[in-house]
Amino acid sequence: MQLTAVGLNHQTAPLSIREKLAFAAAGLPEAVRNLARSNAATEAVILSTCNRTELYCVGNSEEIIRWLADYHSLPIEEISPYLYTLGMRETVRHAFRVACGLDSMVLGEPQILGQIKDAVRVAQEQKSMGKKLNALFQKTFSVAKEVRTDTAVGENSVSMAAASVKLAEQIFPDIGDLNVLFIGAGEMIELVATYFAAKNPRLMTVANRTPARAQELCDKLGVNAEPCLLSDLPAILHDYDVVVSSTASQLPIVGKGMVERALKQRQSMPLFMLDLAVPRDIEAEVGDLNDAYLYTVDDMVNIVQSGKEARQKAAAAAEELVSEKVAEFVRQQQGRQSVPLIRALRDEGEKARKQVLENAMKQLARGATAEEVLERLSIQLTNKLLHSPTQTLNKAGEEDKDLVHAVAQIYHLDK
């Protein structure tokens, strides 16, 4: 089994496919433990965000795809057109690029590095990581830090959170006159809410399954923020001009009927809705309603591209650095893989040395001259050391050209 990665992202698959293959945060520990104990892999890390689902493994890529399809109860033929499968070197390069923000919708965005660290932490807790993945991700974090320190790839980056406010301002000229509802209280909502709070909206409400977490986020946002429960949504939705949702729910929280009722009560006042969850929190049919402006993560592309040209120039330097680090990591790993072979080779040499030395001592004890003993010792040692490669070469056929070339290189016989 070798280091490999199987996944899909915003470049290879639409949101409708990505949400089917997403892993809920609550179920991720069990999933990664299951994968690492399956026939598909011996080591595993699962990265699942709104823009990508990737399985970094030491395993068999075909079996990993089968495991992924079975886990989500989907036919392989339905998901395989959207998946990429990477070999050892490509996996290393991809992990480095993702961590540096070079493969993100927002070029250079820093949030992905934290998400990778969270995925690795979960895998470590579930004991699904071994030497190979530990080495990969330790190097990944080191490379990401170096790229962000030595290049400008992350500068002028427009985050998804900042883009959310910009998108709302295209519909409402003054955020300060609005009531804003946040559904969920996780990391993404906290980031978005912080940007909205800076615009001083009239009211902010955090709806969450657990009141304590909602209250905690409200305390961070300021005096014009209040908590509520998700079960309160049908009764209060009409009071809000902006709704931003990002939860870990596997089913929609806000349905078309709920929004229809809210719009009637709003009497044609527009309702801006931003669904940053994967799978989606807001039913897609809501976008068909008059006065409801529904956007998803895939709709954010044009907004987050601002400043991209400047970052792309810096990205060239970052890509070059990544290539150097990939080559360095591969050399290190290949060197480590050779260590057991080198030890075994030296052990065989030492065994041969001791045998011929023992024979030589016996010959000296029988009265043989030193010259005779040394002659025999040198012949015996040469024969023992060259027996295996000579025997292998004698058996080599036309199809073994690589083997013949390797032996020539080892003994410097190329000429």
Side-chain angles (χ1 to χ4, degrees), residues 45 56 95 116 120 129 133-142:
V45 169
Y56 294 87
I116 295 175
V120 168
M129 289 181 66
L133 285 186
N134 266 314
L136 171 64
F137 284 105
Q138 290 306 312
K139 188 66 173 180
T140 297
F141 299 148
S142 171

Side-chain angles (χ1 to χ4, degrees), residues 8-225:
L8 77 171
N9 60 25
H10 60 284
Q11 299 174 35
T12 69
L15 177 58
S16 59
I17 297 296
R18 298 203 309 272
E19 64 187 354
K20 290 181 180 180
L21 292 174
F23 289 84
L28 190 59
E30 180 188 355
V32 75
R33 184 171 66 248
N34 181 301
L35 175 55
R37 294 178 182 176
S38 70
N39 293 329
T42 56
E43 298 182 37
V45 169
I46 298 177
L47 174 65
S48 186
T49 73
C50 59
N51 284 329
R52 69 182 65 245
T53 293
E54 295 177 339
L55 285 64
Y56 294 87
C57 302
V58 175
N60 180 288
S61 56
E62 291 183 4
E63 292 298 326
I64 293 166
I65 292 173
R66 185 172 288 108
W67 179 91
L68 180 63
D70 290 344
Y71 185 88
H72 291 286
S73 302
L74 294 168
I76 290 180
E77 56 270 19
E78 181 179 341
I79 65 173
S80 57
Y82 305 98
L83 296 175
Y84 40 83
T85 302
L86 307 176
M88 187 270 191
R89 193 181 189 93
E90 292 77 16
T91 296
V92 175
R93 179 178 179 79
H94 186 72
F96 290 0
R97 293 186 75 253
V98 171
C100 296
L102 295 172
D103 194 58
S104 296
M105 181 185 290
V106 184
L107 183 61
E109 60 94 7
Q111 188 179 357
I112 185 64
L113 180 57
Q115 293 168 328
I116 295 175
K117 288 182 176 180
D118 288 341
V120 168
R121 176 183 51 76
V122 171
Q124 288 173 332
E125 290 172 352
Q126 300 307 314
K127 296 179 171 55
S128 70
M129 289 181 66
K131 290 182 179 179
K132 290 185 179 179
L133 285 186
N134 266 314
L136 171 64
F137 284 105
Q138 290 306 312
K139 188 66 173 180
T140 297
F141 299 148
S142 171
V143 171
K145 181 179 180 181
E146 191 168 341
V147 166
R148 294 182 186 280
T149 301
D150 296 349
T151 74
V153 71
E155 293 182 8
N156 306 310
S157 176
V158 178
S159 69
M160 196 76 75
S164 301
V165 176
K166 287 192 173 187
L167 194 56
E169 288 176 330
Q170 292 180 9
I171 299 171
F172 301 104
D174 189 356
I175 302 295
D177 295 333
L178 306 179
N179 292 342
V180 184
L181 172 65
F182 302 104
I183 302 176
E187 182 183 3
M188 178 59 78
I189 285 293
E190 184 170 342
L191 288 169
V192 175
T194 301
Y195 276 88
F196 270 99
K199 297 288 184 177
N200 242 357
R202 186 169 54 211
L203 172 66
M204 293 180 291
T205 300
V206 178
N208 196 49
R209 182 175 54 84
T210 54
R213 177 63 186 130
Q215 183 62 63
E216 181 184 341
L217 180 52
C218 288
D219 292 341
K220 292 180 181 179
L221 296 177
V223 291
N224 60 339

